[in-house]
């Protein structure tokens, strides 16, 4: 091979080496870019993981609050039923009398009811009726033509009724 051919071959080889070197440098740049992208993705993933952890914590807290709320609701329903029962039991000893004229009972409304009530319902009570309390309810009427105030009487023992 002549010098000229050798020189042309060498120049082609140099061009090929240069082209390969350029390709390798381009690949290095791509690898560097991929490395930066990978680091960025890892950072994003770490951020997402911390958010997920925070959301899991909040979700657990909300689940506990819901469970507590349900327990409180059950307690509230139970207490409401107990309150209704207590109100019903406290009212079962009460008698409401309507139409008894004002001031007919005098100063001792319990004695008046003890003597008048058996006559009104035509029953004899043995032992006689005893009242825990008795009183008129509602506003006093100054007008004689209006309805008299009702009387509420609470029996001392509910077995008397």
């Amino acid at each position: 091979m002549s010098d000229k051919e050798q020189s042309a071959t060498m120049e082609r080889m140099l061009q090929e080496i240069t082209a390969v070197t350029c390709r390798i440098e381009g690949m290095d740049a791509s690898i560097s870019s991929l490395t930066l992208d990978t680091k960025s993705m890892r950072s994003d993933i770490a951020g997402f993981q911390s958010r997920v952890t925070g959301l899991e914590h909040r979700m657990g807290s909300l689940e506990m609050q819901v469970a507590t709320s349900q327990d409180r609701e059950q307690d509230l329903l139970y207490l409401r039923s107990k309150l209704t029962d207590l109100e019903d039991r406290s009212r079962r000893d009460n008698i409401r009398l309507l139409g008894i004229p004002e001031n007919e009972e005098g100063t001792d409304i319990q004695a008046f009811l003890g003597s008048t009530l058996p006559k009104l319902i035509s029953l004899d009570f043995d032992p006689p009726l005893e009242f825990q309390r008795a009183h008129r309810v509602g506003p006093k009427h100054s007008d004689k033509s209006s309805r008299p105030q009702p009387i509420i009487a609470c029996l001392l023992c509910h077995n008397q009724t």
Side-chain angles (χ1 to χ4, degrees):
M1 211 192 259
S2 70
D3 283 339
K4 211 176 191 183
E5 289 176 350
Q6 274 186 343
S7 172
T9 304
M10 291 280 271
E11 196 170 310
R12 270 184 276 151
M13 287 173 86
L14 271 173
Q15 286 175 353
E16 287 178 20
I17 290 173
T18 303
V20 169
T21 304
C22 284
R23 281 191 220 143
I24 290 173
E25 287 174 356
M27 287 182 191
D28 282 346
S30 294
I31 290 172
S32 294
S33 175
L34 288 174
T35 303
L36 288 175
D37 287 346
T38 303
K39 287 180 181 177
S40 174
M41 286 182 188
R42 284 184 182 160
S43 170
D44 290 347
I45 288 171
F48 289 140
Q49 285 176 336
S50 69
R51 286 182 186 168
V52 167
T53 302
L55 289 173
E56 286 174 344
H57 177 70
R58 288 175 60 193
M59 185 66 130
S61 175
L62 287 173
E63 286 172 346
M64 287 177 55
Q65 288 177 358
V66 166
T68 302
S69 175
Q70 289 172 344
D71 290 345
R72 286 182 181 164
E73 186 175 344
Q74 288 175 350
D75 290 346
L76 181 61
L77 290 173
Y78 174 74
L79 290 174
R80 281 185 181 164
S81 71
K82 293 292 280 184
L83 179 62
T84 301
D85 182 56
L86 286 172
E87 286 178 346
D88 291 345
R89 287 177 187 266
S90 71
R91 288 183 181 142
R92 72 179 174 190
D93 299 338
N94 291 348
I95 298 172
R96 186 173 85 173
L97 304 168
L98 302 173
I100 297 177
E102 298 278 342
N103 298 322
E104 189 171 313
E105 68 272 8
T107 57
D108 189 2
I109 195 168
Q110 290 181 11
F112 170 77
L113 290 175
S115 64
T116 307
L117 197 55
K119 293 176 194 172
L120 288 174
I121 57 175
S122 302
L123 286 176
D124 287 329
F125 292 97
D126 190 32
L129 290 177
E130 292 182 74
F131 297 94
Q132 185 175 15
R133 65 184 174 278
H135 55 88
R136 290 202 180 257
V137 293
K140 278 200 171 201
H141 301 292
S142 59
D143 184 11
K144 294 287 183 186
S145 64
S146 64
R147 270 192 306 204
Q149 296 171 286
I151 294 176
I152 300 290
C154 180
L155 293 169
L156 188 61
C157 181
H158 72 273
N159 291 333
Q160 289 180 317
T161 57

